[in-house]
Amino acid sequence: MQQKSVYENLFRKGKSGVIVLFDPDRTPKEEAIKKMEKLNKNDFIKGYFIGTSFQMTFGIDDYVKAIKEHTDLPVVMFPSDHAQLSRYADAMLYMSLLSGRNPQFLIEEQLKMVPFITESGIEAIATGYILIDGGKITSVEFMSNTKPIPRDKPDLVAAHAKVGELFGFDLIYLEAGSGADFHVPFEAIKLTSEYVNIPVIVGGGFKKISDIEKALENGAMHVVVGTQIEKGKLFV
Ligand code: 1GP
């Protein structure tokens, strides 16, 4: 059985905080490295995710290597599909889009990732990915061709998360989509965190530190922040 050290240290044992999401299209590596000078010094920042719903530029290894060279924090791939993988990351989220009804993102992409995972030996963190309406159609909704769970149905969110736990997943990721108008409702975060016994992270649409803190108070292990860091409005 594979040792899951990033999972243990970042999601089970460590302190709660923020995970920075870098989208290689939207934040070129030189810009990311510059932002990391500040981010690395901030105790609230616990790690980096790298990924995007649709990558326009080809290849990701150089980007991941550059980020890795500039931090001691864990660097985790957050791939939208099997083309977006790098063996230079410390781990990867091995996600199934449980809220969707599209077999491509429930099982097919995961199947195509098997040779990469077995040959690279990368730590694959089994993640139940759950999309919740963030007030607009985000890239993840469009690209995955799935419907998000309505904002006013926290019980449905929690039930989908429970499926993930029962299937033996390591982690639940509640997602409103990058650049969402509204983040995942606190009620859904709270209910899900109480309902499952695996760590819950949340991301999409967080714009204020006070909301991030409230998400953590409601049971999220970490909040993933991309857009506001990219725009230079939070933490940089
Ligand atoms: C997207 O949850 C992340 O997968 C981050 O979203 O870009 O809205 O911060 P934002």
Side-chain angles (χ1 to χ4, degrees), residues 21 26 78 129 173 175 177-180 203-206 224-228:
L21 171 67
R26 298 201 313 225
F78 172 41
Y129 191 50
Y173 189 161
E175 171 73 276
S178 188
F206 279 90
V224 184
V225 181
T227 304
Q228 297 303 311

Side-chain angles (χ1 to χ4, degrees), residues 11-132:
F11 297 112
R12 292 209 74 107
K13 286 194 264 183
K15 283 198 178 150
S16 289
V18 164
I19 295 177
V20 175
L21 171 67
F22 280 140
D23 174 328
D25 284 340
R26 298 201 313 225
T27 308
K29 72 178 174 203
E30 297 72 21
E31 227 175 274
I33 291 164
K34 198 148 184 286
K35 287 186 193 293
M36 288 171 77
E37 284 171 24
K38 267 204 178 162
L39 295 169
N40 284 331
K41 288 185 201 140
N42 186 333
D43 284 345
F44 204 34
I45 310 285
K46 306 298 182 194
Y48 293 93
F49 281 179
I50 298 175
T52 177
S53 295
F54 179 76
Q55 196 184 328
M56 287 289 281
T57 46
F58 181 73
I60 198 145
D61 281 345
D62 283 352
Y63 195 90
V64 174
K65 278 190 209 167
I67 303 299
K68 272 284 305 161
E69 274 167 23
H70 288 85
T71 186
D72 294 327
L73 294 172
V75 175
V76 180
M77 287 302 302
F78 172 41
S80 56
D81 58 48
H82 72 282
Q84 207 181 80
L85 298 168
S86 174
R87 63 179 69 227
Y88 300 103
D90 296 310
M92 63 178 278
L93 298 188
Y94 188 46
M95 301 189 293
S96 181
L97 180 51
L98 296 180
S99 56
R101 302 295 181 266
N102 180 352
Q104 183 188 354
F105 294 101
L106 280 166
I107 181 68
E108 289 171 16
E109 289 297 331
Q110 296 75 1
L111 187 64
K112 291 174 188 167
M113 289 177 187
V114 166
F116 167 78
I117 294 171
T118 46
E119 279 170 38
S120 67
I122 193 167
E123 178 179 332
I125 300 169
T127 304
Y129 191 50
I130 298 174
L131 185 61
I132 296 117

